[in-house]
Amino acid sequence: MTLIKLPLKQSVGGPDKPTVNVGDSVRCGQAIAVPQGLGAKLHASVDGEVTNVTDKVIEIKASDQQTYDYVKIPAELSNLEAIKEAGIVGCGGAGFPAYNKYAQQIPDGHLFINAAECEPILGHNISRIITDAEKIIRGIEYVKEIVGAKDVAIAIKRKHTNAVALLEEAIRGHDDISLELMLNRYPEGEERAIIRDSKLHKLLKTDDLPYAANAIVTNVETVFRVAEAIEDRKPVISKDITVAGRLHGDNEVVEVKKDVPIGTMVGNILEDYPNMAQYGELIMGGPFTGSRTDIAAPITKTSGGIIATIPFPSLKGKKVGLLACACSATPERMKEIAASMDAEVVGVEWCKNAVVNEKTGHAKCINPGICPGQAEKVLKLRADGADTLLVGNCTDCTNTVMGIAPKLNLPVIHTTDFARRATGERIMRHMLPENDQ
């Protein structure tokens, strides 16, 4: 029996309130929890029986025989109300409820579709474009009409040549839609970077939302789910996922699994890979901003990847200095990695561009992906006693680190090294936009 775990908090806002009880039979697509304020409806992703309800999760035992159908959204709902009823949230970031985002009008404004596939390794957004470009364009037009935008730009890295060609063909006849070809560097795909590098050429402040540029940025999978809600009357019951790592012995594997039922546990997905090599950790998300997970964790509406890294090397108590980036792993996440390498953390510094929120501890970059230089920070960590650096920096920041660290005989480890090595990608050191993956 497959057990599905559906967390009641899967988006920005508070947890949903369950509307089912233990013992209830549910159908795929049936609403099982509703938001209390900001949030999004939650739906059963399988046919089955509710086996557990708490203030944090609803668990469903999937039936042996699935109908492979779903409870449809009422046909009489408007497009915006259908988006709300479907429980759509942003599929590529923090998961802001789509209904609330699209309810904000931007008359004569600009709609940006984030198809950048910002994180390395992940490929599910590009894969969805390759299989469903036309439906994505229809989803874009629905959103454009709802928000009142005058034009649309699809932001995509130029290295994705097949997807770019398909989008160019799909937008023929859509004079209101254009492509913005982006550099192959990290963090191209961060929403302020998209607006900065677009025809608007506007750098927003760290606490600005895209509305400050009379713009909305939304993910490419999100607009695909919008088209499903409007055309197929389908609620959000599945998620596209990239599964990667040494999943078949020592072979480097990167695979996309489309429409994984939300609530599926990581362990159930990894059952498809019985010959997995020993791994260091499992990452939920991408190698830069993802978090450590385990086989009992469920797929949610915002999950993007499951990456099995190579085993961690032992630094045997070496003293490590952490250089954190607002676009990457937090200091807490970096300390977790350092502990896995048996290293002693002797200093922590933020990138010069990081603006740290004192209340939340979260940081935003003043100018995402464009670095002012890190010599001062590296020298400070050296003075703190570091004999090795663990960095989580973006492409440009890492390049500046490598401009000084070797001169100080400081070895550099990047937080993404272990995931990249597991998938055959070039590790972050000296990187140019043409070869940054």
Side-chain angles (χ1 to χ4, degrees):
M1 298 288 185
T2 300
L3 184 67
I4 298 292
K5 291 184 178 180
L6 295 154
L8 291 169
K9 180 172 169 55
Q10 299 205 20
S11 68
V12 171
D16 285 357
K17 180 180 179 181
T19 56
V20 292
N21 299 299
V22 172
D24 287 353
S25 293
V26 292
R27 289 185 57 203
C28 180
Q30 177 182 333
I32 57 174
V34 295
Q36 305 294 289
L38 182 64
K41 273 192 174 184
L42 183 63
H43 302 78
S45 59
V46 294
D47 300 326
E49 179 184 335
V50 178
T51 57
N52 188 29
V53 178
T54 72
D55 60 351
K56 294 183 178 179
V57 67
I58 296 174
E59 297 182 0
I60 300 173
K61 182 176 69 175
S63 302
D64 290 335
Q65 298 296 323
Q66 294 289 314
T67 61
Y68 298 104
D69 197 2
Y70 54 86
V71 178
K72 290 182 169 54
I73 295 166
E76 64 272 15
L77 294 181
S78 68
N79 287 351
L80 183 58
E81 288 297 323
I83 289 168
K84 182 178 183 180
E85 184 67 24
I88 299 173
V89 305
C91 296
F96 196 83
Y99 170 81
N100 299 82
K101 177 181 282 193
Y102 301 155
Q104 177 75 46
Q105 291 285 297
I106 50 167
D108 294 322
H110 314 280
L111 175 62
F112 291 95
I113 308 303
N114 188 348
E117 204 81 90
C118 185
E119 292 257 18
I121 300 174
L122 304 187
H124 50 281
N125 285 322
I126 298 303
S127 180
R128 181 59 78 177
I129 291 170
I130 289 172
T131 58
D132 292 280
E134 293 286 352
K135 193 163 192 171
I136 287 167
I137 300 304
R138 296 199 300 274
I140 289 171
E141 291 287 17
Y142 293 132
V143 175
K144 174 179 177 287
E145 181 181 13
I146 290 169
V147 302
K150 70 175 180 180
D151 55 34
V152 182
I154 303 173
I156 184 169
K157 290 180 181 177
R158 61 188 63 179
K159 70 177 182 180
H160 299 302
T161 53
N162 289 345
V164 168
L166 284 168
L167 287 173
E168 286 175 336
E169 181 62 30
I171 64 175
R172 291 185 189 278
H174 295 266
D175 295 337
D176 54 337
I177 304 178
S178 62
L179 299 188
E180 290 279 359
L181 299 184
M182 307 178 73
L183 293 173
N184 302 326
R185 68 182 178 190
Y186 185 84
E188 294 292 325
E190 197 269 359
E191 63 182 14
R192 289 187 303 122
I194 287 175
I195 292 172
R196 177 197 66 202
D197 296 339
S198 73
K199 63 184 178 183
L200 299 184
H201 299 298
K202 183 172 184 178
L203 177 61
L204 299 180
K205 298 176 183 177
T206 56
D207 57 354
D208 278 341
L209 294 174
Y211 299 126
N214 199 23
I216 286 175
V217 181
T218 195
N219 173 264
V220 69
E221 185 183 352
T222 309
V223 294
F224 174 76
R225 301 300 173 192
V226 165
E228 285 191 322
I230 292 171
E231 297 178 356
D232 308 324
R233 315 313 285 180
K234 184 178 182 180
V236 176
I237 53 177
S238 63
K239 184 70 179 69
D240 295 343
I241 299 289
T242 304
V243 185
R246 292 185 177 170
L247 305 177
H248 187 66
D250 285 334
N251 294 323
E252 297 150 348
V253 176
V254 178
E255 295 183 349
V256 171
K257 293 184 177 291
K258 291 192 178 74
D259 292 317
V260 175
I262 291 170
T264 301
M265 287 184 280
V266 169
N268 292 135
I269 293 173
L270 295 181
E271 287 174 358
D272 291 344
Y273 308 96
N275 298 317
M276 279 182 65
Q278 183 180 2
Y279 58 83
E281 68 174 349
L282 295 174
I283 298 173
M284 180 76 82
F288 276 96
T289 60
S291 59
R292 182 170 293 179
T293 192
D294 57 52
I295 60 173
I299 298 300
T300 70
K301 295 180 182 182
T302 59
S303 299
I306 301 169
I307 304 172
T309 74
I310 63 168
F312 292 105
S314 174
L315 297 188
K316 300 179 180 179
K318 280 189 175 181
K319 299 182 186 300
V320 171
L322 309 183
L323 180 51
C325 181
C327 307
S328 184
T330 64
E332 290 70 27
R333 167 72 174 134
M334 298 177 79
K335 289 175 183 177
E336 182 180 57
I337 293 172
S340 296
M341 294 189 292
D342 190 25
E344 178 189 352
V345 175
V346 296
V348 180
E349 294 290 326
W350 280 99
C351 163
K352 289 172 66 174
N353 257 2
V355 177
V356 183
N357 185 313
E358 294 182 0
K359 291 184 179 179
T360 65
H362 296 155
K364 283 287 192 76
C365 184
I366 293 173
N367 197 0
I370 298 177
C371 181
Q374 300 296 346
E376 175 189 350
K377 303 293 185 175
V378 173
L379 288 169
K380 177 63 168 59
L381 291 170
R382 181 60 149 170
D384 289 339
D387 52 34
T388 300
L389 293 181
L390 176 61
V391 305
N393 303 112
C394 67
T395 303
D396 201 22
C397 285
T398 303
N399 285 340
T400 63
V401 168
M402 295 308 297
I404 183 172
K407 297 174 183 176
L408 299 173
N409 294 317
L410 278 175
V412 176
I413 301 170
H414 199 284
T415 55
T416 65
D417 284 354
F418 315 104
R420 285 180 176 268
R421 291 187 187 278
T423 55
E425 289 204 351
R426 182 183 176 188
I427 59 174
M428 294 280 291
R429 293 300 185 270
H430 294 286
M431 303 290 280
L432 297 174
E434 303 85 66
N435 57 32
D436 181 4
Q437 299 297 307

PDB file of all heavy atoms in Angstrom, residues 110 112 150-153 178 180 194-202:
ATOM      1  N   HIS A 110       4.133  44.406 -17.454  1.00  0.00           N
ATOM      2  CA  HIS A 110       4.945  43.384 -18.119  1.00  0.00           C
ATOM      3  C   HIS A 110       4.865  42.064 -17.353  1.00  0.00           C
ATOM      4  O   HIS A 110       5.121  42.031 -16.140  1.00  0.00           O
ATOM      5  CB  HIS A 110       6.395  43.848 -18.207  1.00  0.00           C
ATOM      6  CG  HIS A 110       6.541  45.269 -18.680  1.00  0.00           C
ATOM      7  ND1 HIS A 110       6.455  45.617 -20.006  1.00  0.00           N
ATOM      8  CD2 HIS A 110       6.714  46.430 -17.976  1.00  0.00           C
ATOM      9  CE1 HIS A 110       6.598  46.928 -20.124  1.00  0.00           C
ATOM     10  NE2 HIS A 110       6.746  47.444 -18.914  1.00  0.00           N
ATOM     11  N   PHE A 112       6.528  38.460 -16.941  1.00  0.00           N
ATOM     12  CA  PHE A 112       7.735  37.689 -17.218  1.00  0.00           C
ATOM     13  C   PHE A 112       7.510  36.232 -16.839  1.00  0.00           C
ATOM     14  O   PHE A 112       7.031  35.941 -15.732  1.00  0.00           O
ATOM     15  CB  PHE A 112       8.929  38.238 -16.437  1.00  0.00           C
ATOM     16  CG  PHE A 112       9.391  39.588 -16.897  1.00  0.00           C
ATOM     17  CD1 PHE A 112       8.934  40.742 -16.277  1.00  0.00           C
ATOM     18  CD2 PHE A 112      10.273  39.702 -17.961  1.00  0.00           C
ATOM     19  CE1 PHE A 112       9.349  41.994 -16.697  1.00  0.00           C
ATOM     20  CE2 PHE A 112      10.697  40.960 -18.398  1.00  0.00           C
ATOM     21  CZ  PHE A 112      10.230  42.098 -17.772  1.00  0.00           C
ATOM     22  N   LYS A 150       0.518  44.264 -20.834  1.00  0.00           N
ATOM     23  CA  LYS A 150       0.505  44.610 -22.254  1.00  0.00           C
ATOM     24  C   LYS A 150       1.428  43.702 -23.063  1.00  0.00           C
ATOM     25  O   LYS A 150       1.262  43.579 -24.283  1.00  0.00           O
ATOM     26  CB  LYS A 150       0.892  46.068 -22.461  1.00  0.00           C
ATOM     27  CG  LYS A 150       2.352  46.413 -22.194  1.00  0.00           C
ATOM     28  CD  LYS A 150       2.641  47.861 -22.553  1.00  0.00           C
ATOM     29  CE  LYS A 150       4.108  48.215 -22.298  1.00  0.00           C
ATOM     30  NZ  LYS A 150       4.395  49.622 -22.647  1.00  0.00           N
ATOM     31  N   ASP A 151       2.415  43.093 -22.406  1.00  0.00           N
ATOM     32  CA  ASP A 151       3.315  42.218 -23.142  1.00  0.00           C
ATOM     33  C   ASP A 151       3.893  41.154 -22.217  1.00  0.00           C
ATOM     34  O   ASP A 151       3.762  41.225 -20.983  1.00  0.00           O
ATOM     35  CB  ASP A 151       4.437  43.004 -23.824  1.00  0.00           C
ATOM     36  CG  ASP A 151       5.235  43.878 -22.864  1.00  0.00           C
ATOM     37  OD1 ASP A 151       5.408  43.487 -21.707  1.00  0.00           O
ATOM     38  OD2 ASP A 151       5.689  44.967 -23.272  1.00  0.00           O
ATOM     39  N   VAL A 152       4.519  40.169 -22.838  1.00  0.00           N
ATOM     40  CA  VAL A 152       5.070  39.023 -22.108  1.00  0.00           C
ATOM     41  C   VAL A 152       6.475  38.755 -22.621  1.00  0.00           C
ATOM     42  O   VAL A 152       6.733  38.812 -23.833  1.00  0.00           O
ATOM     43  CB  VAL A 152       4.217  37.753 -22.317  1.00  0.00           C
ATOM     44  CG1 VAL A 152       4.784  36.582 -21.505  1.00  0.00           C
ATOM     45  CG2 VAL A 152       2.762  38.007 -21.964  1.00  0.00           C
ATOM     46  N   ALA A 153       7.382  38.458 -21.705  1.00  0.00           N
ATOM     47  CA  ALA A 153       8.725  38.014 -22.080  1.00  0.00           C
ATOM     48  C   ALA A 153       9.012  36.688 -21.373  1.00  0.00           C
ATOM     49  O   ALA A 153       8.813  36.581 -20.156  1.00  0.00           O
ATOM     50  CB  ALA A 153       9.770  39.048 -21.705  1.00  0.00           C
ATOM     51  N   SER A 178       7.568  37.642 -26.388  1.00  0.00           N
ATOM     52  CA  SER A 178       8.933  37.585 -26.913  1.00  0.00           C
ATOM     53  C   SER A 178       9.789  36.718 -25.993  1.00  0.00           C
ATOM     54  O   SER A 178       9.376  36.364 -24.880  1.00  0.00           O
ATOM     55  CB  SER A 178       9.531  38.992 -27.004  1.00  0.00           C
ATOM     56  OG  SER A 178       9.602  39.590 -25.729  1.00  0.00           O
ATOM     57  N   GLU A 180      13.435  36.377 -23.923  1.00  0.00           N
ATOM     58  CA  GLU A 180      14.611  37.043 -23.369  1.00  0.00           C
ATOM     59  C   GLU A 180      15.667  35.970 -23.161  1.00  0.00           C
ATOM     60  O   GLU A 180      15.536  35.109 -22.283  1.00  0.00           O
ATOM     61  CB  GLU A 180      14.277  37.711 -22.029  1.00  0.00           C
ATOM     62  CG  GLU A 180      13.376  38.917 -22.120  1.00  0.00           C
ATOM     63  CD  GLU A 180      14.128  40.190 -22.494  1.00  0.00           C
ATOM     64  OE1 GLU A 180      15.372  40.110 -22.664  1.00  0.00           O
ATOM     65  OE2 GLU A 180      13.486  41.246 -22.608  1.00  0.00           O
ATOM     66  N   ILE A 194      15.967  38.783 -13.582  1.00  0.00           N
ATOM     67  CA  ILE A 194      15.205  38.739 -14.827  1.00  0.00           C
ATOM     68  C   ILE A 194      14.769  40.137 -15.239  1.00  0.00           C
ATOM     69  O   ILE A 194      14.913  40.545 -16.402  1.00  0.00           O
ATOM     70  CB  ILE A 194      13.988  37.799 -14.674  1.00  0.00           C
ATOM     71  CG1 ILE A 194      14.440  36.340 -14.657  1.00  0.00           C
ATOM     72  CG2 ILE A 194      12.973  38.033 -15.795  1.00  0.00           C
ATOM     73  CD1 ILE A 194      13.331  35.356 -14.388  1.00  0.00           C
ATOM     74  N   ILE A 195      14.238  40.899 -14.298  1.00  0.00           N
ATOM     75  CA  ILE A 195      13.784  42.261 -14.606  1.00  0.00           C
ATOM     76  C   ILE A 195      14.974  43.151 -14.966  1.00  0.00           C
ATOM     77  O   ILE A 195      14.911  43.939 -15.921  1.00  0.00           O
ATOM     78  CB  ILE A 195      12.985  42.827 -13.422  1.00  0.00           C
ATOM     79  CG1 ILE A 195      11.657  42.072 -13.278  1.00  0.00           C
ATOM     80  CG2 ILE A 195      12.737  44.324 -13.587  1.00  0.00           C
ATOM     81  CD1 ILE A 195      10.871  42.416 -12.039  1.00  0.00           C
ATOM     82  N   ARG A 196      16.065  43.015 -14.242  1.00  0.00           N
ATOM     83  CA  ARG A 196      17.272  43.815 -14.526  1.00  0.00           C
ATOM     84  C   ARG A 196      17.809  43.558 -15.927  1.00  0.00           C
ATOM     85  O   ARG A 196      18.212  44.489 -16.636  1.00  0.00           O
ATOM     86  CB  ARG A 196      18.346  43.481 -13.489  1.00  0.00           C
ATOM     87  CG  ARG A 196      19.681  44.196 -13.696  1.00  0.00           C
ATOM     88  CD  ARG A 196      20.779  43.515 -12.902  1.00  0.00           C
ATOM     89  NE  ARG A 196      21.035  42.166 -13.404  1.00  0.00           N
ATOM     90  CZ  ARG A 196      21.617  41.199 -12.682  1.00  0.00           C
ATOM     91  NH1 ARG A 196      21.998  41.423 -11.439  1.00  0.00           N
ATOM     92  NH2 ARG A 196      21.824  40.005 -13.224  1.00  0.00           N
ATOM     93  N   ASP A 197      17.836  42.290 -16.329  1.00  0.00           N
ATOM     94  CA  ASP A 197      18.453  41.927 -17.605  1.00  0.00           C
ATOM     95  C   ASP A 197      17.470  41.947 -18.772  1.00  0.00           C
ATOM     96  O   ASP A 197      17.835  41.618 -19.890  1.00  0.00           O
ATOM     97  CB  ASP A 197      19.089  40.534 -17.496  1.00  0.00           C
ATOM     98  CG  ASP A 197      20.221  40.504 -16.483  1.00  0.00           C
ATOM     99  OD1 ASP A 197      20.757  41.585 -16.173  1.00  0.00           O
ATOM    100  OD2 ASP A 197      20.560  39.420 -15.989  1.00  0.00           O
ATOM    101  N   SER A 198      16.236  42.345 -18.505  1.00  0.00           N
ATOM    102  CA  SER A 198      15.232  42.450 -19.562  1.00  0.00           C
ATOM    103  C   SER A 198      15.319  43.824 -20.215  1.00  0.00           C
ATOM    104  O   SER A 198      16.169  44.657 -19.874  1.00  0.00           O
ATOM    105  CB  SER A 198      13.838  42.256 -18.976  1.00  0.00           C
ATOM    106  OG  SER A 198      13.447  43.410 -18.221  1.00  0.00           O
ATOM    107  N   LYS A 199      14.398  44.072 -21.116  1.00  0.00           N
ATOM    108  CA  LYS A 199      14.355  45.386 -21.775  1.00  0.00           C
ATOM    109  C   LYS A 199      14.021  46.509 -20.798  1.00  0.00           C
ATOM    110  O   LYS A 199      14.217  47.685 -21.119  1.00  0.00           O
ATOM    111  CB  LYS A 199      13.342  45.358 -22.910  1.00  0.00           C
ATOM    112  CG  LYS A 199      11.908  45.096 -22.468  1.00  0.00           C
ATOM    113  CD  LYS A 199      10.984  44.982 -23.670  1.00  0.00           C
ATOM    114  CE  LYS A 199       9.553  44.671 -23.240  1.00  0.00           C
ATOM    115  NZ  LYS A 199       8.665  44.492 -24.418  1.00  0.00           N
ATOM    116  N   LEU A 200      13.531  46.154 -19.593  1.00  0.00           N
ATOM    117  CA  LEU A 200      13.242  47.200 -18.607  1.00  0.00           C
ATOM    118  C   LEU A 200      14.525  47.778 -18.020  1.00  0.00           C
ATOM    119  O   LEU A 200      14.556  48.943 -17.608  1.00  0.00           O
ATOM    120  CB  LEU A 200      12.379  46.640 -17.472  1.00  0.00           C
ATOM    121  CG  LEU A 200      11.004  46.096 -17.840  1.00  0.00           C
ATOM    122  CD1 LEU A 200      10.255  45.691 -16.586  1.00  0.00           C
ATOM    123  CD2 LEU A 200      10.204  47.112 -18.631  1.00  0.00           C
ATOM    124  N   HIS A 201      15.574  46.960 -17.921  1.00  0.00           N
ATOM    125  CA  HIS A 201      16.871  47.397 -17.392  1.00  0.00           C
ATOM    126  C   HIS A 201      16.706  48.113 -16.052  1.00  0.00           C
ATOM    127  O   HIS A 201      17.300  49.163 -15.813  1.00  0.00           O
ATOM    128  CB  HIS A 201      17.595  48.325 -18.378  1.00  0.00           C
ATOM    129  CG  HIS A 201      17.894  47.678 -19.691  1.00  0.00           C
ATOM    130  ND1 HIS A 201      18.711  46.578 -19.830  1.00  0.00           N
ATOM    131  CD2 HIS A 201      17.470  47.965 -20.943  1.00  0.00           C
ATOM    132  CE1 HIS A 201      18.791  46.226 -21.089  1.00  0.00           C
ATOM    133  NE2 HIS A 201      18.036  47.043 -21.796  1.00  0.00           N
ATOM    134  N   LYS A 202      15.915  47.520 -15.175  1.00  0.00           N
ATOM    135  CA  LYS A 202      15.655  48.151 -13.886  1.00  0.00           C
ATOM    136  C   LYS A 202      16.090  47.213 -12.765  1.00  0.00           C
ATOM    137  O   LYS A 202      15.612  46.079 -12.682  1.00  0.00           O
ATOM    138  CB  LYS A 202      14.176  48.496 -13.738  1.00  0.00           C
ATOM    139  CG  LYS A 202      13.845  49.219 -12.434  1.00  0.00           C
ATOM    140  CD  LYS A 202      12.416  49.725 -12.414  1.00  0.00           C
ATOM    141  CE  LYS A 202      12.136  50.524 -11.155  1.00  0.00           C
ATOM    142  NZ  LYS A 202      10.765  51.078 -11.130  1.00  0.00           N
TER     143      LYS A 202
END
